[in-house]
Amino acid sequence: MVKYSIVVPTYNEEKSLQIFHAAVTKEFDTLGEEYEIIFVNDGSTDGTQSVLDGLCALDKRVKVCRFSRNFGQQPAILCGMDNAKGEAVLVMDADLQDPPAVALKMIEKWKEGYELVHGRREKRHGESAFKKNTAKLFYGFTRKITGLDIPSSVGDFKLYDRKVVNAVLSLSEHDRLLRAQTAWLGFKQAFVDFERPQRVAGKTHYTVKKMCKLAQAGIFPNTDYTLTLPLKSGIALLVLSVVCMVVFIALSCAGVSFGGLIAWIFPAIGVATGAVLLCQGLTNIHIAMIYREAQNRPKYIVSEKKNFVE
Ligand code: UDP
Ligand code: MG
């Protein structure tokens, strides 16, 4: 019986993989327990697959799922969980920013009885101030708008007990941010603090566009707030219009000329139209998500699997 499954979402990481494999096996071999390493090649366009083929030939504990194209880190983690046999699943980045020694500390917590263990970044090296600040803003905002208790300074580096893995797999959303889903799921949770090092090689794959997509997946499936915004802004605009109308009527009754107010018409129309379009846009994001759920396409497509024994 496999005790631990290490799930590694992998996208264009040809330079990191051998170093990652050596570092992980060095640490995990000290446990004397059975483990597997599942690399999910998320449609890499560099030499990632051939490095993975080499690792598969060298080490039968290494397993690979190759996606038919790039589906994203979250679907890659999901695929790893779908294929994991372990009693506990550890999700780690391929670039060694999630140190294997910290993973062993997570295992200690699991053995104490915790069901979900988060790696918490005390310090983060090699990340831009823009990334750190936008992440802080996003999680503050998401916590407020969704009411979910998403922990601070925590990413996808986590240990999941089998129970939690099964619970994650029971959630059917196509748009998903595991950090939000695990906050919704609950379970007995613990943290292991660590200093996040720089990538061992290459550079981050998270462009602003990818970060926005992830942010969207964290917010919209978890809140009705955006759907109630048209109602709230509609009421506010209505009250404002009535107040303006009363003021205008009072002014005209008092014989005060307010021809200059004509100048206000265009900005007022602009603000009102902007508010309507903003609310419509937010609603449309929900509709697009509902449409994706109705289509119910697979969340990823695997074109090849290696070293899995069915
Ligand atoms: N990754 C992936 N698919 C993607 C982007 C990234 O599987 O579309 C993987 C990547 O190879 C790495 C992990 O997800 O193992 C985290 O990505 P990255 O290091 O670029 O993110 P950062 O650590 O900068 O937030
Ligand atoms: Mg990284």
Side-chain angles (χ1 to χ4, degrees):
M1 178 73 184
V2 178
K3 190 106 178 170
Y4 308 110
S5 299
I6 301 156
V7 165
V8 194
T10 309
Y11 180 58
N12 290 351
E13 300 281 7
E14 60 180 357
K15 293 201 180 80
S16 319
L17 291 171
Q18 273 159 341
I19 311 169
F20 174 87
H21 175 259
V24 165
T25 49
K26 186 172 164 241
E27 290 291 342
F28 275 72
D29 283 349
T30 63
L31 289 170
E33 290 167 306
E34 210 176 313
Y35 66 92
E36 60 181 0
I37 310 176
I38 304 175
F39 290 98
V40 182
N41 179 359
D42 183 15
S44 299
T45 50
D46 66 353
T48 290
Q49 187 59 40
S50 62
V51 180
L52 290 176
D53 289 345
L55 289 174
C56 276
L58 195 80
D59 182 353
K60 290 295 161 214
R61 297 168 301 185
V62 171
K63 296 164 187 183
V64 173
C65 293
R66 180 157 67 90
F67 279 180
S68 59
R69 65 167 172 84
N70 179 245
F71 281 88
Q73 185 189 3
Q74 301 292 306
I77 295 173
L78 192 68
C79 170
M81 286 185 175
D82 270 332
N83 287 281
K85 295 273 185 292
E87 288 171 37
V89 170
L90 292 115
V91 176
M92 297 173 73
D93 287 357
D95 55 14
L96 281 179
Q97 285 197 281
D98 302 335
V102 179
L104 295 200
K105 288 189 187 158
M106 290 174 157
I107 289 175
E108 280 171 27
K109 288 276 177 202
W110 177 63
K111 288 182 174 169
E112 285 171 27
Y114 290 99
E115 296 157 320
L116 179 62
V117 187
H118 308 269
R120 185 164 50 197
R121 304 154 181 184
E122 270 188 328
K123 269 191 187 164
R124 299 156 77 163
H125 299 284
E127 283 178 31
S128 67
F130 174 76
K131 187 162 180 174
K132 285 186 219 173
N133 288 323
T134 47
K136 211 171 166 182
L137 265 173
F138 167 69
Y139 287 110
F141 177 69
T142 307
R143 265 193 291 274
K144 209 170 169 61
I145 203 171
T146 62
L148 290 173
D149 188 17
I150 304 174
S152 301
S153 306
V154 162
D156 286 312
F157 183 27
K158 297 187 203 300
L159 179 150
Y160 299 77
D161 180 79
R162 172 53 51 192
K163 271 188 273 183
V164 187
V165 173
N166 292 343
V168 168
L169 295 178
S170 75
L171 302 176
S172 63
E173 293 99 297
H174 285 67
D175 296 279
R176 50 174 73 216
L177 179 68
L178 275 159
R179 278 156 249 188
Q181 287 192 324
T182 47
W184 185 84
L185 285 172
F187 288 100
K188 205 174 160 200
Q189 308 192 15
F191 296 88
V192 174
D193 292 321
F194 73 106
E195 230 176 87
R196 194 170 200 236
Q198 291 195 20
R199 287 186 141 257
V200 73
K203 55 179 197 271
T204 180
H205 302 101
Y206 272 92
T207 54
V208 173
K209 195 174 162 195
K210 272 193 174 179
M211 274 155 65
C212 289
K213 209 172 156 209
L214 211 57
Q216 191 175 303
I219 293 172
F220 287 86
N222 296 305
T223 183
D224 295 338
Y225 181 84
T226 41
L227 288 171
T228 62
L229 211 55
L231 183 69
K232 288 172 189 159
S233 47
I235 292 170
L237 280 173
L238 202 70
V239 170
L240 197 71
S241 310
V242 170
V243 170
C244 283
M245 225 183 279
V246 171
V247 171
F248 292 171
I249 291 168
L251 285 174
S252 65
C253 287
V256 181
S257 156
F258 53 92
L261 285 172
I262 283 289
W264 284 93
I265 286 179
F266 290 104
I269 291 174
V271 169
T273 316
V276 170
L277 287 176
L278 175 84
C279 293
Q280 184 66 51
L282 292 171
T283 312
N284 286 354
I285 296 177
H286 279 286
I287 294 172
M289 282 187 176
I290 296 165
Y291 181 63
R292 275 197 288 284
E293 298 304 325
Q295 276 181 313
N296 198 21
R297 289 189 181 178
K299 289 161 189 110
Y300 55 82
I301 305 276
V302 175
S303 64
E304 189 190 10
K305 274 178 154 187
K306 285 209 153 176
N307 275 3
F308 284 94
V309 188
E310 296 306 331

